[in-house]
Amino acid sequence: MYQATLGQRGYRFGGLRQLMAKASPARSGDYLAEVAAQSAEERMAARIALADVPLKAFLQQPLVPYEQDEVTRLIIDSHDAAAFEPISHLTIGDFRDWLLSEQADSAMLAQVAAGITPEMAAAVSKIMRNQDLILVAKKCRVVTRFRNTIGLPGHLSVRLQPNHPTDSLQGIAASMLDGLLYGSGDAVVGINPASDSLPLLEKLNYMLDDVIQRFAIPTQSCVLTHVTNTLRLMERGAPVDLVFQSIAGTEAANRGFGISPALLAEAQQAALSLKRGTLGDNVMYFETGQGSCLSANAHHGVDQQTCEARAYAVARHFSPLLINTVVGFIGPEYLYDGKQIIRAGLEDHFCGKLLGLPLGCDVCYTNHAEADQDDMDTLLTLLAAAGLTFLIGVPGADDIMLNYQSTSFHDALYIRELLGLKHAPEFAAWLAAMNITDERGRLRDAAANHPLLLALQGERT
């Protein structure tokens, strides 16, 4: 039992799970799940009580029972007690103060990351202001490699997302080459296919690989299909760089996705055996999003932000090259408006980075949410200031296959110029060699006879 008093009124919370939910910033998904605080005063009382909870309590009182959930077992069984030792004496309130102190520099945060559980990260985020989330995430350094180096300080990568509603190879190629000429694509060239047809998925893999190999682009490709399809593609000899999968924070939700840690481990080993990385062996790419456990009725009464953080434990186990929260994609039932989307994006980025993950964000919203592109500009700017690993680049910011609003190649140009952020170094060298950027890293106008434009004309004919 946890309790706090505000003025003349006392509040009681039945357990750690309820306390966490009541302390969460207001969001539509938690109201839908009937776990949210009923007033701002109750929310504040929960935060006051949460600040006094020892970090150790989260190891002793799992929010989802150990016996019932393999994600909980993964969190507890893989916990690094030695990494936890420097902060093991702290309460959640003390932890916040420590994270904001000069003592918690980049090296120290990397040292303790394996000792922090998702629930600890989620708990401390609930008592932090937006500026706290930004400042601490900025100090976290997470670097990954496959064919280039992602996550260096002062750098921001872009996933080039050339989706097409009919999986037209020509349409995808046009968007891909357009993005490359805008300097996008150093995180990954990643397609969300409209079809699960294995022959078509194979064609997409070969097309992406052909462009990357023909122009010696230091990046990686990914067709974002289900992990079982990717396993079949690798068995057929397709040129697979990264294995993609959407993941969630409970066993039941992951079962709804048709996955398990064992299946992900099988796919990781298959991808590693291909030895396609030239600089590193981070071969996994994961996507997450607040609300996935609730939408699958698999949240166990845990608030949606904590469920999201638990998904990061699954990702961390597989040392991914990339992981991003598709923050506003699930819809207003879970994040109602721009304010909720902005807060969720900052929370997710903070928790992921604190846990040692290369966290990016699809800064996005659906057309029926109470949000607009100004909200996305705000979130993009805040996340980039916080050291975002990568964002999404979609032609015109409007994904014509998934039918949602994201960020564009031009948005990437804006944020790089505003904050002086660089491409992955190997990709930057390629852009200069291809005469796409000048000596200062700024875009040049592409001549009509540029090799990429000539390649596009060849695709069309």
Side-chain angles (χ1 to χ4, degrees), residues 46 94 190 212 292 409:
D94 295 333
I212 288 173
S292 58
F409 308 140

Side-chain angles (χ1 to χ4, degrees), residues 73-118:
R73 293 194 289 274
L74 180 66
I75 292 168
I76 299 300
D77 295 348
S78 64
H79 183 251
D80 189 328
F84 182 58
E85 179 57 31
I87 58 173
S88 61
H89 61 289
L90 300 177
T91 64
I92 291 298
D94 295 333
F95 189 34
R96 172 190 175 274
D97 293 343
W98 181 82
L99 288 170
L100 292 167
S101 72
E102 293 183 2
Q103 181 185 355
D105 58 14
S106 298
M108 177 58 75
L109 290 172
Q111 178 182 327
V112 303
I116 302 170
T117 69

Side-chain angles (χ1 to χ4, degrees), residues 152 255 281 292 307 310 381 399 426 438:
L152 293 169
R255 194 183 308 122
D281 59 1
S292 58
C307 284
R310 283 169 54 90
T381 305
D399 192 301
E426 301 84 0
D438 62 20

